[in-house]
Every structure is written in structure tokens, then in C-alpha cells.
Amino acid sequence: MKLNFGVKENGTVVLGSKVVCDGLIEDNMETLVMSHAHRDHLEHSFIANAYTLDKTVVMTEETRKLAATYGNANLETNFHLNVLETRKALEFDGYSIELFEAKHILGSVQVLVDYQKEGRFLYSGDFGEEVPNIPKADFLVVDSTYSEMFNKNSWSQENAFDELRKEINLALQHSPVFIVGDPGVLEIALHELAYWDKIPKVISKDKEKEWAKIYKSKNFDLPEVLSEDSDEEEARSLKFENFIQVAHNRKAIGDNPGGKLFVLKNFGINQHEPINQISENHYLVGITSHAYGESLFRYIEKVEPSVVITDSYRGKNNATTLAKSIEQEMGIKAYPSIEVEAD
């Protein structure tokens, strides 16, 4: 089936005849919008390709700053780049683009493209709980990363943070603590832990240090992050006592870090307890920045679309499950993107 919106096999999101998101723009399109600074959505090669083809690139200032911590595309002075605030429409010939807060990570947005002739297209991007403003649209491409998680646990994210704070406090009496979380999830967790009057400095790498600076500039309560790369001597001095080390991926910590390891993962929310022991010093903590289960249906209800495409590229099995559920529960035409040729 051919539609003028959906998700291509390479993950590029198509919104009508002129706009794509989070992927490679082709010569017949005009504008590339980046929804947020996670690498399954924003690679610098996507931006470099758009520059080469003389296309417009749109993102928020927070996404620009976070993306500048990795890759080498020019995100400072390139005239193709438009930094756009949320709730302020950018006008083009025959259509406009407006960004709405998505509550996933800092700078993450929903992307609304309003054509004079084709209608209104919305890409949810990755979005979290309690999104403040959800625009109405005729056609919706929706994140389906965690759509299979419909169970209702007896614990909340607040419970998970409370339990994690207690476990860290106990662990630090005997050993170092290592905390691993995806970009954005880690920073939100550090903010919620509110532990930094006791331990004002933690150890990490350059990228995590830069992300912490950006989050702190937006009034997140984070510790000072010392990088093993650029603050080597001061970071080493912290290791004479029990310390906290944080990372965006497990590789940065190593297989045997020599202390208690807490891994913050989206799929941990599907467990019966907020913290689950995997091995003697390894714990899985259920913390997510994705909406899931019933939250997805509430989001779709507010959009009021006539057709929904679920993103198979970033959640193949979940996209099919979610599309079926949308049709059965909501009576809205829905297709996993794998069944649609977006053109």
C-alpha cells in the first residue's frame, strides 16, 4: 500500500510531500526535522546529507547542543540549520512546521506539518508521560517502541527512584556505585535522585560531562561530573574513597567494575519490582522516558487522526501489535509502517 506518510525501511519518517524526520532526506523533499538527540533518530550523516543536497534542517536548540557532543556535522553556523522554539510555526511555501514538547529527553519534540492542500501530519517522535500539548492532526506516525507493555505494576517511577536512592545509600557504605542509563534517562534519574548534597561530584566520560552541563543549564539538579578523559587527575583522586561513576552505556563501565552496578532500562518497567537483582552486584532498575500501554491510547485519542502509522523500524513486533490494538480498541485505521510504502 502506498501513502504519502509513514516510515521508510531505513527509518526515515515521511510527513507529506515536503518534509521528512529523523533520517535521510532525498532530493524530491525540502525539509529535514530532527525530533531529538538519540542516535536511533539523529545521526550526523543525516544532517551532512541534507546540507549536501541544499535542504533545510530544523531542530530545537537543546537538540542542537546535545547532538554537538557527538559526530562532526556543523551545528554552529551552517545557514541550512534552523533552530526552532516549540509552539512557534516556521512558514514555508504551502506548509508550516511547528514543534511541540514531547517529554522524552531534553529538546525532544512532536513534529506537526500543516499543508494548505494535503492536511495536517503529526510525528509523535519518542514521547513520555504527561505530554503537555498534543496537537490535532489528520494523519499520525506514532512511536511504538514499548507498546506491548500494557501491564499495570503496583509501583510507579517515583517508587523506583525512592528504592534506587536507598540502594545507593546502602551500597556506598561498602563499595563504589556505578549507574548506567541511556542518554537523557541517566540525567533525569540523577535529577530525581536528589542525592548531590551528600556526594557533589561523580565520575564519567566527556560526553556524559557535556550532557550534564546542558541539563544543569536548564535547572536540572545534577552533580558535578568529572571526566576520566579531560579531568583525569581530579577524577582519579575521587577513587580513594567510595564513589559514584555514571555512564550512557555499559561498555564505558566494563564487565567487572568492582562495585554495585545499577542499570536503568526501559524494559525494567515490565518487572514486578522496581529494582531486580541480576547477579551479586548487578541490578536492573525500571526507569523509562517512554510512554507505554494506556498512555499511547490517550495520546492518540487527543490527536484525533483518521489514519495512524506505527513505527516498525524502531519497534517491529510492537508496531504490528499496536496497530491491531488501535483498530480494535479505537476504531481508527492503523498500519505498521512495514506494510506501507511511504512516498
Side-chain angles (χ1 to χ4, degrees):
M1 179 195 335
K2 276 193 175 186
L3 292 174
N4 64 345
F5 76 110
V7 185
K8 290 180 175 289
E9 289 183 357
N10 64 4
T12 303
V13 177
V14 178
L15 298 177
S17 63
K18 302 295 183 184
V19 180
V20 298
C21 303
D22 296 0
L24 290 168
I25 191 169
E26 296 178 1
D27 212 22
N28 63 325
M29 306 296 261
E30 290 185 359
T31 306
L32 170 66
V33 185
M34 310 312 303
S35 70
H36 66 288
H38 276 160
R39 296 188 73 162
D40 60 334
H41 291 261
L42 191 159
E43 285 286 358
H44 280 244
S45 59
F46 302 159
I47 297 167
N49 171 70
Y51 290 170
T52 300
L53 295 175
D54 199 27
K55 305 299 184 182
T56 299
V57 179
V58 177
M59 65 183 72
T60 62
E61 174 66 5
E62 293 83 4
T63 293
R64 185 194 69 79
K65 287 181 177 179
L66 294 171
T69 65
Y70 63 90
N72 54 14
N74 182 356
L75 298 179
E76 296 293 337
T77 59
N78 196 290
F79 67 91
H80 293 92
L81 180 61
N82 281 262
V83 172
L84 185 61
E85 294 180 28
T86 56
R87 304 301 303 273
K88 291 191 176 180
L90 186 61
E91 299 290 339
F92 296 86
D93 184 16
Y95 66 98
S96 65
I97 294 172
E98 191 171 355
L99 308 179
F100 294 79
E101 169 65 50
K103 299 289 283 184
H104 175 57
I105 67 169
L106 192 62
S108 61
V109 290
Q110 311 160 73
V111 181
L112 177 68
V113 185
D114 191 353
Y115 292 92
Q116 292 175 6
K117 295 182 179 179
E118 297 174 52
R120 291 162 63 89
F121 295 78
L122 179 65
Y123 174 43
S124 72
D126 290 354
F127 64 98
E129 300 282 343
E130 299 178 2
V131 177
N133 295 293
I134 300 172
K136 297 189 186 307
D138 304 301
F139 311 105
L140 171 65
V141 179
V142 70
D143 170 45
S144 52
T145 310
Y146 294 100
S147 60
E148 284 190 341
M149 295 181 179
F150 294 106
N151 63 306
K152 294 181 179 179
N153 290 314
S154 59
W155 54 272
S156 65
Q157 293 288 273
E158 289 76 16
N159 296 143
F161 290 124
D162 288 343
E163 291 299 315
L164 180 59
R165 196 178 298 110
K166 291 175 188 175
E167 290 291 339
I168 289 172
N169 203 37
L170 287 171
L172 281 171
Q173 297 175 31
H174 307 288
S175 70
V177 165
F178 300 85
I179 305 173
V180 177
D182 290 334
V185 171
L186 176 65
E187 286 71 25
I188 291 168
L190 295 179
H191 170 78
E192 293 292 341
L193 283 171
Y195 198 79
W196 314 118
D197 55 336
K198 299 178 182 178
I199 298 183
K201 297 180 181 180
V202 301
I203 301 169
S204 194
K205 299 288 187 181
D206 279 348
K207 178 169 173 279
E208 289 85 349
K209 178 180 178 177
E210 291 306 310
W211 276 59
K213 283 182 182 177
I214 295 164
Y215 269 77
K216 287 176 80 170
S217 74
K218 296 296 180 179
N219 299 317
F220 281 76
D221 179 20
L222 269 63
E224 181 182 352
V225 177
L226 300 176
S227 170
E228 289 185 310
D229 302 318
S230 55
D231 309 306
E232 186 177 356
E233 189 172 333
E234 191 174 359
R236 191 187 302 119
S237 70
L238 288 185
K239 293 189 176 183
F240 288 107
E241 300 178 2
N242 290 336
F243 58 90
I244 295 177
Q245 185 163 345
V246 300
H248 283 156
N249 63 73
R250 178 70 187 275
K251 281 185 180 179
I253 297 294
D255 292 332
N256 298 296
K260 290 287 178 70
L261 170 62
F262 297 92
V263 179
L264 319 180
K265 276 296 180 184
N266 295 301
F267 56 77
I269 61 175
N270 211 26
Q271 305 296 317
H272 292 297
E273 300 294 336
I275 299 180
N276 291 271
Q277 188 168 1
I278 305 302
S279 61
E280 184 180 359
N281 290 311
H282 180 186
Y283 298 83
L284 175 66
V285 186
I287 292 175
T288 183
S289 60
H290 282 268
Y292 61 97
E294 293 180 359
S295 296
L296 285 165
F297 288 107
R298 291 197 298 271
Y299 179 90
I300 295 166
E301 282 175 353
K302 290 181 179 179
V303 176
E304 298 182 5
S306 60
V307 183
V308 177
I309 302 295
T310 57
D311 184 354
S312 301
Y313 180 78
R314 298 171 183 87
K316 184 176 179 181
N317 294 329
N318 290 351
T320 300
T321 301
L322 180 59
K324 288 179 180 176
S325 297
I326 291 168
E327 288 207 343
Q328 292 170 358
E329 301 293 330
M330 307 182 73
I332 300 171
K333 272 291 180 190
Y335 308 94
S337 64
I338 200 170
E339 295 180 4
V340 175
E341 184 180 347
D343 191 13

